[in-house]
Amino acid sequence: MSTAILTGQPVPGSSLEGDLRSLGFDVRLATDAGEAETLLAAVPADQRVAVVDARFVGHLHALRLGLTDPRFAAAALRGAISVQPEARRALTRAVARESSAVGGLAVATDDLAERLTAALDADGVAVHRPELGTLVAAVPADPQERNEARQAVSAVDDEAVRLRSAVKARDGFFTTYCISPYSRYIARWCARRGLTPNQVTTASLITALIAAGCAATGTRVGFVAAGLLLLFSFVLDCTDGQLARYSLQYSTLGAWLDATFDRAKEYAYYAGLALGAARGGDDVWALALGAMILQTCRHVVDFSFNEANHDATANTSPTAALSDRLDSVGWTVWVRRMIVLPIGERWAMIAVLTALTTPRITFYALLVGCAFAATYTTAGRVLRSLTRKARRTDRAARALADLTDSGPLAEALNRLSRGAVRRGPAAVAFAAGALVVLGAALAPYGSWWPVLGAVIYVLLSPVALARPLKGALDWLVPPFYRAAEYLTVLVLAVKADVNGALPAAFGLVAAVAYHHYDTVYRIRGNAGAPPHWLVRAIGGHEGRTLLVTVLAALLAATQFKIALTALAVAVALLVLVESIRFWVSSGAPAVHDEGEPA
């Protein structure tokens, strides 16, 4: 249990003590700073502790936001401060200074929480201050101020604010108007029954997998059921995040589940559609794999651009200014959010088309829509990058280098060449990727031309390591490498023209894509990239691309299918075991990532 230390004389008629207990705090009273120091020392080191001014008047949800959010080592609002174990030493030092400075006099408790907050700031502790909006958090100095504060509390519906804040600020049109109006109430229902976001996330995954199974039946009834279940899975997908925000139940495991399950659900559904189509005599595995590749590359573009500009200085451009002006016109905001086909609109389209048409039509629509969205967003970001005068930091360059997923071959060649290829890494990455993909596409299966293209691709791969990726368009390097690797696998599987090759390729790309998503979410949590041994063990993008082309040249089509399957299993086992080990470890970031806009 967490402990709250109320400082000062209790105020008659105040509900503060009961509010703190309802939030899970064991309440202790301290009439002076010396007593507060004694009570703080008695609290176990592994527990959260809060110091709250007994005169505090405010909403219960304001206290919840300021005192119980697990994402922050220290958080404060007017008249209250809360710290987790990692910030306890700093709080203990601050309380000890307060106690010794005034000799334990009762007057020392006046504004003690405020002074402790200032002391933690001065000590270098990052103190989170939540945005309260219309919520009230005050420490009245006299009865008149107290009466005014209580009236202000009564004028605002605490629960309504809490429900509104449970919904993401930047959701898509479909989610905002078709899902969130009722999913927030489902989230509250779950919270009142003790359900956790992780349980709702798992239910969403199971529902999506059942939907994929229904689609795999290949019957009209199965397709209709799949569409309905996919929509219900999305409702649960929105609910889990809203539940986390509503009840502030953020966790390390939840961050991992939320980050990975969306992709697992969507790509498993693609596989289910492909299996269902095959039952009806229509082979759409190439379309399913193409949709997965396109969607994954879109996300890599998003991740790379955002990381490159995460903390860039002088980060302005005429294109960004135009975008801001368009955002001031209400209807353009929704149009621009819809045309990028976020997850809400995308899943709604997939569900409706699954129920009413065929898997082939569904994939055609998905490919066209995602291609248009990718072109629109990438073109805008390229224009911004070319017109802004941004100075990128070492952190951004390190993140982009990690996202390239360069393996031992690229590292060895970079040491040998001593950074000989240094200019235009984006152009070099694009040219090298285009060469290997075209080589695979234009040559017959079993040809060594794709191997030659892959060798050149490997020889040029050190460009991502030769210098820090701080150029205007260097954020394109990771997406180009992703597209080159994934498309090479797709093209060679199509060229093999043997039953089972494309499903094996789908599995391999899914396993590698999981590794790339895992890298992204570790970077977002400021935990760094996956361990170097893992990147070496799975070969890096250049090693895997070369290996697949060599396998296609050496093996018969049937043997190539088996080799792709074995490679997919090996990569999946390595990345999943390491990912699970990391995300359940104590070193994983306890963050709630908002992920792709719904």
Side-chain angles (χ1 to χ4, degrees):
M1 177 179 283
S2 303
T3 298
I5 301 173
L6 273 183
T7 61
Q9 294 298 324
V11 177
S14 173
S15 63
L16 179 58
E17 189 172 341
D19 288 343
L20 290 170
R21 285 200 169 95
S22 73
L23 294 176
F25 286 96
D26 182 21
V27 180
R28 297 285 183 267
L29 304 179
T31 57
D32 55 53
E35 192 172 347
E37 182 181 14
T38 302
L39 291 174
L40 178 62
V43 177
D46 60 345
Q47 287 187 10
R48 175 191 289 273
V49 63
V51 177
V52 184
D53 195 312
R55 299 170 297 168
F56 177 89
V57 175
H59 286 101
L60 175 63
H61 192 51
L63 283 172
R64 182 182 290 107
L65 291 171
L67 303 183
T68 68
D69 196 323
R71 295 173 296 176
F72 308 104
L77 67 163
R78 182 75 176 93
I81 183 170
S82 169
V83 300
Q84 298 208 69
E86 54 265 38
R88 278 285 297 277
R89 285 189 178 182
L91 181 65
T92 300
R93 288 194 298 268
V95 172
R97 285 195 296 267
E98 288 290 330
S99 178
S100 61
V102 297
L105 296 177
V107 71
T109 58
D110 289 347
D111 296 322
L112 176 61
E114 295 298 309
R115 295 199 302 275
L116 293 177
T117 301
L120 261 64
D121 280 328
D123 207 10
V125 177
V127 180
H128 171 68
R129 293 171 173 82
E131 292 287 339
L132 297 181
T134 58
L135 296 176
V136 176
V139 181
D142 55 54
Q144 181 179 349
E145 286 187 10
R146 173 170 295 278
N147 184 55
E148 292 173 352
R150 285 175 172 172
Q151 290 178 355
V153 170
S154 300
V156 176
D157 187 342
D158 175 272
E159 181 62 19
V161 173
R162 187 181 179 190
L163 274 173
R164 284 198 303 271
S165 62
V167 178
K168 273 195 295 188
R170 291 183 56 85
D171 265 339
F173 180 88
F174 178 77
T175 306
T176 299
Y177 290 104
C178 299
I179 304 296
S180 292
Y182 58 88
S183 62
R184 70 184 76 181
Y185 295 101
I186 300 175
R188 182 171 66 180
W189 183 90
C190 292
R192 290 178 175 176
R193 282 152 183 81
L195 297 176
T196 67
N198 292 350
Q199 291 170 333
V200 178
T201 301
T202 303
S204 177
L205 174 65
I206 293 172
T207 304
L209 293 178
I210 295 173
C214 291
T217 63
T219 64
R220 178 51 51 194
V221 172
F223 288 146
V224 172
L228 292 173
L229 287 170
L230 186 65
L231 285 177
F232 182 59
S233 173
F234 181 66
V235 171
L236 294 176
D237 183 57
C238 295
T239 301
D240 66 356
Q242 291 166 359
L243 175 58
R245 288 182 287 273
Y246 180 85
S247 56
L248 299 186
Q249 295 185 74
Y250 304 112
S251 68
T252 299
L253 179 60
W256 175 60
L257 296 179
D258 191 55
T260 56
F261 276 15
D262 278 353
R263 303 287 74 79
K265 289 181 287 190
E266 187 168 1
Y267 299 156
Y269 192 80
Y270 292 175
L273 280 178
L275 288 169
R279 287 179 177 273
D282 189 12
D283 187 353
V284 297
W285 273 106
L287 297 178
L289 180 50
M292 182 167 69
I293 291 172
L294 180 56
Q295 192 56 40
T296 303
C297 290
R298 277 188 64 195
H299 287 145
V300 176
V301 169
D302 294 342
F303 299 147
S304 296
F305 181 80
N306 291 335
E307 286 301 325
N309 297 282
H310 176 73
D311 46 9
T313 57
N315 199 8
T316 59
S317 76
T319 307
L322 174 61
S323 177
D324 292 338
R325 286 197 296 272
L326 288 175
D327 280 345
S328 65
V329 183
W331 66 270
T332 65
V333 175
W334 292 117
V335 171
R336 293 169 67 216
R337 289 188 191 180
M338 290 173 68
I339 63 177
V340 300
L341 210 61
I343 188 172
E345 276 74 2
R346 191 167 69 250
W347 282 29
M349 181 186 74
I350 294 170
V352 171
L353 290 178
T354 298
L356 300 180
T357 64
T358 65
R360 180 172 290 274
I361 293 175
T362 301
F363 281 124
Y364 280 151
L366 183 62
L367 287 166
V368 170
C370 288
F372 177 81
T375 302
Y376 170 78
T377 54
T378 305
R381 286 164 177 170
V382 169
L383 286 174
R384 288 191 184 196
S385 300
L386 292 175
T387 55
R388 70 178 21 146
K389 298 179 180 178
R391 292 187 295 276
R392 296 195 171 97
T393 63
D394 292 337
R395 177 199 178 280
R398 180 69 260 168
L400 290 179
D402 290 334
L403 288 172
T404 62
D405 194 32
S406 298
L409 293 178
E411 292 175 343
L413 288 170
N414 185 54
R415 288 193 295 269
L416 291 173
S417 64
R418 297 182 180 179
V421 184
R422 301 176 64 88
R423 294 184 177 274
V428 173
F430 174 79
L435 183 64
V436 68
V437 173
L438 287 174
L442 298 177
Y445 178 80
S447 170
W448 284 89
W449 285 108
V451 178
L452 178 60
V455 169
I456 298 174
Y457 177 84
V458 171
L459 291 174
L460 293 177
S461 61
V463 70
L465 305 173
R467 65 172 179 81
L469 296 175
K470 295 184 178 181
L473 296 179
D474 285 359
W475 57 271
L476 286 169
V477 173
F480 284 154
Y481 283 151
R482 296 297 80 74
E485 179 182 359
Y486 298 163
L487 287 174
T488 298
V489 175
L490 168 61
V491 170
L492 290 175
V494 170
K495 288 284 185 177
D497 194 24
V498 62
N499 188 35
L502 279 166
F506 189 97
L508 175 58
V509 171
V512 176
Y514 177 87
H515 164 62
H516 292 144
Y517 280 114
D518 187 50
T519 301
V520 165
Y521 290 114
R522 293 192 197 212
I523 293 173
R524 281 186 169 180
N526 294 317
H532 200 57
W533 70 260
L534 178 66
V535 178
R536 285 177 168 272
I538 60 177
H541 71 93
E542 78 286 357
R544 291 188 300 270
T545 303
L546 178 62
L547 175 61
V548 171
T549 59
V550 170
L551 291 174
L554 291 175
L555 303 177
T558 303
Q559 295 172 322
F560 179 63
K561 174 191 70 176
I562 297 172
L564 283 182
T565 303
L567 184 59
V569 171
V571 171
L573 286 175
L574 283 170
V575 300
L576 282 172
V577 168
E578 163 54 26
S579 178
I580 293 171
R581 182 210 62 79
F582 169 76
W583 285 103
V584 301
S585 70
S586 59
V591 300
H592 177 75
D593 189 273
E594 296 291 351
E596 182 185 1

